[in-house]
Amino acid sequence: MWLLHSSIGRKLIMSISGIVLVLFLLFHLSMNVAAIFSPDAYNMICSLLGANWYAVAATVLLAAIVAIHFIYAVMLTLQNRKARGNSRYAVNRRPAGVSWASQNMFVLGIIVCGFFILHLSQFWYRMMFAELLGHHEVELGGNPVSPQDGVAFIRYYFSQLWVVIAYLVWYAALWFHLTHGFWSAVQTIGLSNGLWLKRWKAIGYIVATLIFLGFAGVTLVFYASSLCCAGI
């Protein structure tokens, strides 16, 4: 099947999965921003999602999309390396018009996936997965909390400087990844032309910056709040 075995088909699959992941990031961002203005509203969202069947089904689907995106990225990277042969060892300047992000998409993707695993271990594993195991409370900083108390998890983890720095690095890598990945995905799908290419690039920068500033803002607001509570 050409969609699975051809270079164009693989790029199309990776592009569609990438767009879906961008939409998820925007949805996740809207949830996190709500935590700043209304902790109760955020916890209500966490309870509506939680370990309910639709949330579990969406999580499984999302995990499959992430896996597909990563697997096809690896396949295309290996394919491109094989096509370049020994020329990849040559030291060349970056071609004009080619961004740094476009030449390092795979490395940026590895960084994003690495921190994604950290995020899952801190939040999903101790929230939804704990609920699936039947736990009504989990230990957080020596205190028992409900797996649905999302604000408690945000406050706990984003009060630790190393976690804040790690997440900021993650957001930065994600920004670079999205600045190229967004418009490239749209172009692969076939929604771009000579007139719209620059527009999609601009939209990509806007979306990437919105996601970066939104997540970074939430992280820094809760870190600053922890300092205030500590009397610093």
Side-chain angles (χ1 to χ4, degrees):
M1 185 178 179
W2 74 270
L3 190 62
L4 298 176
H5 301 293
S6 71
S7 176
I8 296 176
R10 290 171 178 174
K11 288 181 180 178
L12 183 60
I13 291 175
M14 192 172 71
S15 297
I16 294 174
S17 61
I19 293 296
V20 173
L21 293 176
V22 170
L23 294 176
F24 168 74
L25 285 172
L26 291 172
F27 167 73
H28 196 1
L29 174 61
S30 65
M31 283 182 55
N32 285 20
V33 170
I36 295 178
F37 299 100
S38 177
D40 291 337
Y42 181 78
N43 281 346
M44 182 182 68
I45 296 173
C46 290
S47 64
L48 288 174
L49 296 176
N52 295 308
W53 69 267
Y54 48 84
V56 174
T59 300
V60 172
L61 178 61
L62 179 65
I65 294 173
V66 171
I68 289 171
H69 190 73
F70 181 77
I71 290 171
Y72 275 83
V74 172
M75 292 171 63
L76 287 169
T77 299
L78 294 176
Q79 178 180 305
N80 292 336
R81 285 179 176 270
K82 183 178 180 180
R84 288 198 302 267
N86 292 331
S87 64
R88 70 178 182 271
Y89 297 109
V91 179
N92 298 315
R93 290 184 177 180
R94 188 167 71 242
V98 177
S99 67
W100 179 86
S102 68
Q103 287 195 317
N104 295 276
M105 285 295 284
F106 185 71
V107 175
L108 290 169
I110 292 292
I111 296 174
V112 170
C113 286
F115 279 100
F116 182 65
I117 294 173
L118 171 66
H119 181 65
L120 288 178
S121 68
Q122 293 177 330
F123 290 89
W124 176 83
Y125 178 75
R126 307 193 68 184
M127 295 178 72
M128 178 183 284
F129 189 70
E131 279 194 80
L132 289 173
L133 294 179
H135 297 161
H136 298 292
E137 289 185 341
V138 295
E139 186 176 313
L140 194 65
N143 300 311
V145 299
S146 167
Q148 295 184 354
D149 191 354
V151 174
F153 283 86
I154 294 177
R155 285 172 175 162
Y156 174 71
Y157 285 114
F158 290 163
S159 67
Q160 303 173 46
L161 182 58
W162 78 267
V163 174
V164 172
I165 294 174
Y167 272 76
L168 291 177
V169 170
W170 182 25
Y171 304 148
L174 185 61
W175 183 87
F176 280 108
H177 193 74
L178 291 177
T179 54
H180 174 76
F182 182 85
W183 69 262
S184 179
V186 172
Q187 185 180 46
T188 300
I189 294 173
L191 299 178
S192 181
N193 52 38
L195 175 64
W196 270 91
L197 181 58
K198 290 185 178 180
R199 295 176 181 177
W200 281 120
K201 285 185 176 182
I203 293 172
Y205 272 97
I206 292 172
V207 171
T209 302
L210 175 65
I211 290 173
F212 170 79
L213 292 178
F215 282 116
V218 172
T219 301
L220 292 174
V221 164
F222 276 94
Y223 179 66
S225 176
S226 71
L227 295 180
C228 293
C229 292
I232 298 179

